[in-house]
Amino acid sequence: MRHATLLPVLALSLVLTACSDSSDNSMTDNGGNPGPPVEPPLEPAGFSAEIRRTEYGIPHIKAEDWGSLGYGYGYAYSQDNFCVTMHEIALAGGRWAELTGEDIDRDLLWRFINGSRDEFKADYFDSLPQRDRDLVTGFAAGMNRYLDETGVDGLPEGENGCRGEPWVYAFDELDLMMYLRKIALQASTDQGIVRDAILAVQGPPEMQVVSVDQLGVRAGLAGDLSAVGQTIRPSEVGSNAIALGADATQSGAGMLLGNPHQPWNGSGRWYEAHLTIPGEYDAAGASLQGLPWIGIGFTRDVAWTHTVDYATRFTLYEVTLNPDNPMQYDYDGEWRDIETRTVAAEELQDDGSLVTVERTFYSTHYGLVLDLAGINPAIGGWPTFAGTLVTLRDANLDTGLRSLRQWVEKSQASNVEEYREALRHIGNPVFHEFAADRHGGMFYGQISAVPRVTQAQLDDCQTGIMAIVASVSTNAFIGLDGSRSACEWGEDPDAPAGTNVYGLDAHPQILGRGAVGNSNNSYWLSDATMPLEGFPVVFGWMGHEGNQQFLRTRITHNMIADRLAGSDGIGDAPLFSLDDMKTVMYLNRVYAAEIVLDDVLAICEDRLADLSNPLDPATREALSETCSVLASWDRKVDVDSRGAQVFTEFWGGIRDTYGSAFQNVVVSDEFWAVDFTATDPLNTPRGIDTGVAANRELVIEKLLAARQRLGDANVALDAPWGEVQFLERNGEPVPIHGGSGQMGVFGAISVDLDEGGYRNPRAGNSYIQVVTWDGSDCPIADTILTHSQSVQPTSEHYSDQTRLYAEKGWVRFPFCEEAIQAAQIGETLLLEQE
């Protein structure tokens, strides 16, 4: 199945970095006021689970029912990383200021979003299917059992510990569900810039419409939004994925590479596990911290993964205020009242007392009111310079209700057609979907929560301030005229009722037997040989149809094409084998160097030879040494590559000069020798126009600046990359291969230059899996968890997989019973509820 046309649409998506924020055991009553403290939860009776661990600390949990499966998983997970999720639970329910005295505004926002505990239970938790409620309840009970057995004073210490912390407490399934809901809102309401705009609202001042030069606003806003663009374009979080069908593999079975680029710390980390209810659910792979289901993984028949998807998650609406009453707005010629709700939270004082703090939030029928003055003061807040108000509608407010159901059903699919059917829930808040099966099928879909706004609506409704914002942000921020019902979101017949998002059939997708890949650009080139076209920018503004693509996107598709043709030197036979895919994953090519370094070296050579304008001796020596190191570099980021640090800093300088604020690419009419063309998007732009004097000067400037930066950090120009980029574990550096995705490294690593090198990556290659099948009942899955299972420095699984990754090693994941028994470490734990 291939969908290539659709009524165009548009809106917006912001993507965030990792998970984090607020939870509560003393929420509010239905009026938003503090309620009575909640007693520690009682564990439901009857939970029973078996926990076995295999090499590298991977838990295999088996149970007879969903509650028990969650119970076993919550307990096993807590043995490694309890404090990570405990921290997020304490944040997610609005108690952080009560417990620490910090961040009262965020607490108040989450209390507004979730309502009182009774409201949250009735409107949110009780809306889940019984299976999902059982799983969440069991997981919370398992974590609480670990806490009860360990005690607050026995919990781990250190950077990721929580021994003796005031924010550790017994919690229940509602607290955990609030955290799960918050994760679904990372790309929308809980995205930093949106949250700040909500919290900036102070209520209606005296109305004063001012005369403003809109061209001046546009010019100022362009600069202000450029800074905002740095926060929402891919950096910490990204991913690569390749899904292959029978026509692309040597065996004829499907194959899948999952390579998410997630944070290495905090709730964005992965955790490996295998969860089984015999005859009903049997899935292995990895979960984000505290999620009670397998997020990226595989079963006997299907493997799946995701990449972060920059599609629209919410729309802004601009409404016209009543000049005689700033608490009313125009809707179809009638005044509607702006609604208010006041919520309260406790804030810990220095003397140990608690003070109740109240805040009023303002909403239109679309959603919360925003104040954009923090982005550009000329716009104003309430009102804007145009006498209007900006408000927000979020497609992900209730996606969390459908997420668990969708992920469980995906894991129960026996082929990619059934996998696709599970996506009808539209429970995916922010990812492209990829799957392959043992039968030789593969699937790609940009199937996540996207507001149903047509191109006709955009053409008609994108006016006023919203038109300016969309223009200067290259459609990253889009808003509509909120004064007309004609600009409301529509409804697809196959979308979940009441969501007003696009349904399954409307999304870009491919169901076939060929090859697809994605590295965080839009759906457009997921099959580079047959682009998906005719879709609106709402389905992906980052690298939309006909636009320049990331360097990482380009190298992904070039590596796929070369392997299919057998022209990459990896092996004599074309198409992919399991070993071929693992080799591709670890090639560590630097694509930016492949397309510009020859020109850089030519410019350098010419400058050193230019006797008409000689360099001073010190500069000449510095430039000569720098270029000599680059000339000898292998143009890779392997641990033994020498000189990668020079190119990393050099290319960072080029990006600082010509980098696009929102599209994450180098854009210039003068820099490139061959400019971008939509007819050859994977090979353009390329080369440096050496005939332009400004380019030659820029190259020399950035080479010398790179040398200076490295010298200031005491990093030798020709030191092996593994000595320069490393993760510190118990005082010992572990070499980390891979490099900046922004310079076209497939195996992306996110880390800044620090004293002594690129120390302690924040994010990048995290949980990696290559999955395929042979004639047996068991999947073949080779995996690696780059940051290892446990955050506890005392654990033997704190750095074991990290060291294996440094050697480009893999773990053969034991899925079937014989393999589990052969790889088991330690005794089997039968976890019965006491």
Side-chain angles (χ1 to χ4, degrees):
M1 175 181 296
R2 175 183 292 270
H3 295 270
T5 58
L6 176 67
L7 288 175
V9 193
L10 188 31
L12 152 68
S13 159
L14 305 181
V15 178
L16 59 22
T17 40
C19 317
S20 134
D21 265 22
S22 357
S23 176
D24 182 353
N25 254 356
S26 65
M27 293 290 290
T28 57
D29 63 22
N30 290 340
N33 300 307
V38 176
E39 294 298 321
L42 297 175
E43 296 177 355
F47 292 148
S48 175
E50 173 191 275
I51 303 173
R52 293 178 289 176
R53 289 189 183 259
T54 55
E55 294 173 320
Y56 301 99
I58 300 171
H60 299 252
I61 296 96
K62 184 186 295 185
E64 295 299 322
D65 59 79
W66 290 96
S68 295
L69 186 68
Y71 186 66
Y73 191 20
Y75 185 87
Y77 164 79
S78 296
Q79 290 178 309
D80 294 306
N81 296 328
F82 173 85
C83 294
V84 176
T85 293
M86 183 70 250
H87 179 267
E88 300 305 319
I89 289 170
L91 283 167
R95 292 193 67 193
W96 194 252
E98 172 194 340
L99 301 170
T100 70
E102 302 170 356
D103 218 353
I104 185 67
D105 281 343
R106 187 176 292 193
D107 281 358
L108 290 163
L109 175 59
W110 281 102
R111 285 174 180 251
F112 173 83
I113 291 171
N114 289 328
S116 69
R117 287 183 67 87
D118 287 345
E119 289 171 330
F120 184 81
K121 182 178 185 301
D123 297 340
Y124 206 82
F125 186 78
D126 288 351
S127 298
L128 296 170
Q130 185 64 49
R131 173 197 63 198
D132 298 356
R133 281 179 278 162
D134 290 347
L135 185 60
V136 172
T137 299
F139 194 92
M143 288 192 67
N144 276 295
R145 173 164 177 168
Y146 170 82
L147 174 60
D148 183 60
E149 291 179 355
T150 307
V152 175
D153 293 332
L155 292 170
E157 296 181 286
E159 180 182 359
N160 294 292
C162 56
R163 178 176 297 181
E165 291 288 353
W167 42 266
V168 176
Y169 53 87
F171 59 89
D172 65 10
E173 61 274 12
L174 297 185
D175 296 304
L176 179 60
M177 196 66 211
M178 288 175 191
Y179 163 52
L180 300 182
R181 185 186 197 187
K182 183 182 178 301
I183 291 175
L185 293 173
Q186 286 180 85
S188 46
T189 295
D190 197 38
Q191 219 278 342
I193 186 174
V194 178
R195 189 172 60 239
D196 290 346
I198 293 170
L199 292 174
V201 175
Q202 298 298 316
E206 182 178 347
M207 288 288 289
Q208 183 178 7
V209 179
V210 298
S211 175
V212 174
D213 174 10
Q214 293 202 25
L215 291 177
V217 171
R218 178 185 295 272
L221 190 57
D224 294 335
L225 284 179
S226 291
V228 172
Q230 303 292 328
T231 69
I232 67 170
R233 68 188 191 186
S235 55
E236 302 301 296
V237 180
S239 299
N240 302 310
I242 299 174
L244 307 175
D247 295 342
T249 65
Q250 294 171 11
S251 69
M255 186 182 299
L256 180 126
L257 167 67
N259 174 214
H261 300 152
Q262 284 289 122
W264 287 16
N265 289 290
S267 57
R269 282 173 56 109
W270 291 105
Y271 183 77
E272 288 181 288
H274 181 188
L275 308 179
T276 304
I277 298 177
E280 188 170 1
Y281 181 82
D282 193 10
S287 306
L288 293 180
Q289 303 284 303
L291 271 63
W293 64 84
I294 298 299
I296 287 177
F298 53 93
T299 66
R300 289 182 183 270
D301 301 309
V302 176
W304 69 95
T305 190
H306 313 107
T307 61
V308 171
D309 162 30
Y310 287 82
T312 292
R313 306 297 163 207
F314 61 82
T315 60
L316 306 178
Y317 278 96
E318 185 178 6
V319 296
T320 300
L321 290 174
N322 184 344
D324 297 321
N325 183 353
M327 288 295 291
Q328 291 183 328
Y329 63 98
D330 176 38
Y331 185 75
D332 279 346
E334 297 182 357
W335 297 119
R336 286 196 173 189
D337 291 332
I338 293 172
E339 298 179 358
T340 63
R341 180 172 182 178
T342 300
V343 297
E346 301 294 306
E347 183 178 41
L348 182 66
Q349 304 299 297
D350 291 341
D351 63 3
S353 63
L354 292 173
V355 171
T356 299
V357 179
E358 293 186 340
R359 186 185 182 99
T360 299
F361 291 89
Y362 300 85
S363 304
T364 69
H365 74 281
Y366 298 109
L368 279 163
V369 170
L370 307 180
D371 185 333
L372 300 185
I375 297 175
N376 182 274
I379 293 177
W382 191 334
T384 69
F385 69 82
T388 59
L389 198 62
V390 178
T391 183
L392 169 144
R393 185 175 182 187
D394 187 347
N396 273 328
L397 274 177
D398 294 321
T399 299
L401 286 171
R402 306 184 300 276
S403 292
L404 202 162
R405 183 176 183 182
Q406 177 168 305
W407 257 266
V408 169
E409 291 187 14
K410 290 194 306 188
S411 303
Q412 294 173 319
S414 61
N415 54 56
V416 291
E417 290 88 352
E418 292 178 4
Y419 182 93
R420 176 187 178 273
E421 176 61 21
L423 305 181
R424 72 190 184 280
H425 299 298
I426 315 296
N428 177 343
V430 71
F431 304 116
H432 297 273
E433 297 271 2
F434 289 82
D437 66 29
R438 68 163 57 242
H439 314 292
M442 68 81 187
F443 173 78
Y444 160 76
Q446 188 292 326
I447 301 175
S448 54
V450 177
R452 191 187 183 284
V453 181
T454 68
Q455 187 61 48
Q457 285 178 299
L458 287 171
D459 293 342
D460 180 45
C461 298
Q462 200 165 313
T463 59
I465 293 173
M466 296 298 96
I468 298 175
V469 170
S471 174
V472 300
S473 68
T474 63
N475 292 317
F477 296 91
I478 295 173
L480 306 171
D481 181 355
S483 67
R484 292 181 288 148
S485 58
C487 300
E488 295 269 15
W489 297 357
E491 187 170 0
D492 274 351
D494 62 339
T499 61
N500 298 113
V501 298
Y502 276 99
L504 175 60
D505 286 343
H507 288 256
Q509 55 194 283
I510 300 168
L511 190 62
R513 300 176 74 79
V516 291
N518 182 274
S519 295
N520 302 123
N521 276 131
S522 76
Y523 55 85
W524 178 36
L525 298 178
S526 292
D527 180 347
T529 67
M530 299 179 65
L532 290 164
E533 296 180 330
F535 293 89
V537 73
V538 61
F539 283 114
W541 54 270
M542 188 82 75
H544 187 59
E545 297 171 25
N547 289 329
Q548 188 173 328
Q549 303 291 289
F550 299 163
L551 293 178
R552 188 159 48 84
T553 293
R554 292 168 59 181
I555 196 172
T556 296
H557 288 294
N558 283 325
M559 290 193 303
I560 292 172
D562 290 347
R563 178 81 299 269
L564 293 177
S567 60
D568 54 9
I570 292 175
D572 295 334
L575 309 183
F576 281 85
S577 69
L578 177 69
D579 288 340
D580 292 342
M581 183 68 88
K582 293 193 294 183
T583 299
V584 165
M585 176 64 236
Y586 284 159
L587 282 176
N588 286 330
R589 292 165 53 186
V590 181
Y591 191 63
E594 295 178 13
I595 62 175
V596 304
L597 187 53
D598 287 345
D599 292 327
V600 169
L601 295 174
I603 291 170
C604 191
E605 183 179 352
D606 289 347
R607 184 67 185 92
L608 291 169
D610 184 2
L611 300 180
S612 65
N613 183 25
L615 298 164
D616 66 77
T619 302
R620 180 181 181 82
E621 181 181 357
L623 183 62
S624 177
E625 181 184 10
T626 303
C627 294
S628 177
V629 169
L630 281 177
S632 299
W633 173 45
D634 62 6
R635 307 186 186 197
K636 293 186 177 182
V637 279
D638 287 331
V639 294
D640 56 356
S641 297
R642 294 176 180 268
Q645 56 269 40
V646 178
F647 190 83
T648 298
E649 294 306 310
F650 165 77
W651 191 249
I654 298 298
R655 288 183 53 81
D656 286 345
T657 302
Y658 289 129
S660 166
F662 286 94
Q663 296 301 319
N664 205 27
V665 291
V666 171
V667 178
S668 170
D669 293 335
E670 290 189 343
F671 181 75
W672 296 107
V674 179
D675 290 330
F676 171 74
T677 172
T679 59
D680 190 15
L682 298 182
N683 297 299
T684 60
R686 65 179 184 272
I688 299 174
D689 189 342
T690 59
V692 176
N695 289 340
R696 298 195 300 271
E697 293 169 3
L698 180 67
V699 165
I700 300 302
E701 174 193 337
K702 298 305 180 185
L703 286 171
L704 293 172
R707 176 190 175 87
Q708 184 66 48
R709 281 178 55 79
L710 292 167
D712 291 345
N714 291 314
V715 175
L717 302 185
D718 63 348
W721 186 239
E723 293 181 9
V724 174
Q725 181 171 268
F726 53 88
L727 181 66
E728 293 173 309
R729 284 292 187 250
N730 291 324
E732 296 182 7
V734 181
I736 300 296
H737 60 85
S740 170
Q742 295 181 348
M743 62 182 186
V745 177
F746 184 77
I749 301 293
S750 296
V751 59
D752 295 326
L753 179 63
D754 198 357
E755 176 67 24
Y758 302 91
R759 304 168 55 183
N760 299 321
R762 301 181 303 275
N765 289 340
S766 48
Y767 170 71
I768 309 173
Q769 64 175 26
V770 179
V771 185
T772 191
W773 294 265
D774 56 16
S776 72
D777 288 340
C778 305
I780 304 170
D782 286 335
T783 69
I784 192 74
L785 189 63
T786 57
H787 47 66
S788 301
Q789 278 281 82
S790 178
V791 298
Q792 300 175 20
T794 57
S795 170
E796 62 184 305
H797 307 302
Y798 180 56
S799 63
D800 51 357
Q801 288 199 63
T802 308
R803 297 180 186 281
L804 184 62
Y805 170 78
E807 300 171 354
K808 294 189 175 181
W810 297 85
V811 177
R812 178 60 55 90
F813 198 112
F815 187 86
C816 289
E817 182 60 29
E818 276 188 22
I820 296 172
Q821 291 182 15
Q824 184 169 349
I825 57 176
E827 300 296 323
T828 298
L829 173 63
L830 297 177
L831 191 70
E832 301 283 349
Q833 197 162 43
E834 297 175 353

